[in-house]
Amino acid sequence: MEQAYAPYSNFRVGAALLASDGSVVEGCNVENASFPAGSCAERVAIGAAITRGLREFVALAVVTEATEPTPPCGVCRQVLIEFAPELPVLCATTSGAEARWSVSELLPHAFTPTSLGRR
Ligand code: THU
């Protein structure tokens, strides 16, 4: 979260993805002057993990400075469910509030690889 590039929203987000080999891959949000070109912390983390050859994940932590824990956005839910439908998502604030959901809870009735007849 401290590395977040969020000059437009001032909403800094940090994500940490625990992979099944025990490694932790981090991400932060990266905004852009062309607003839709920005990326969420969760997608930055998953992209970095995939780039490292990691495909199996154990948990995701998301931290912000909001007053209440904030769950991943809809686009991030879709990206997460591709790799880890049952992934626990632990969302916390820097003041210590916490909430926890699974990706499937956050995105019920999802369009997944199974929908394309895969896996
Ligand atoms: N953001 C994230 O990085 N993750 C989320 O789960 C929600 C939103 C970012 C996108 C944008 O840079 C800023 O937070 C405000 O929406």
Side-chain angles (χ1 to χ4, degrees):
M1 186 197 77
E2 289 175 358
Q3 308 302 332
Y5 176 72
Y8 306 107
S9 71
N10 286 317
F11 191 81
R12 303 191 299 169
V13 185
L17 196 52
L18 176 62
S20 57
D21 71 350
S23 57
V24 175
V25 183
E26 298 161 330
C28 64
N29 52 332
V30 183
E31 296 185 346
N32 192 278
S34 175
F35 293 179
S39 300
C40 290
E42 296 89 328
R43 272 176 288 146
V44 170
I46 207 152
I50 297 299
T51 303
R52 288 191 201 178
L54 303 168
R55 295 264 174 103
E56 287 181 18
F57 306 110
V58 175
L60 171 69
V62 179
V63 67
T64 72
E65 296 162 303
T67 51
E68 297 297 328
T70 56
C73 81
V75 175
C76 290
R77 295 175 195 198
Q78 181 67 35
V79 171
L80 290 166
I81 211 161
E82 178 82 10
F83 298 100
E86 300 314 319
L87 189 72
V89 181
L90 298 106
C91 299
T93 68
T94 49
S95 56
E98 293 180 1
R100 178 182 168 143
W101 300 274
S102 70
V103 172
S104 292
E105 274 182 291
L106 292 170
L107 190 62
H109 311 291
F111 188 87
T112 66
T114 311
S115 310
L116 291 173
R118 300 185 187 233
R119 282 195 197 152

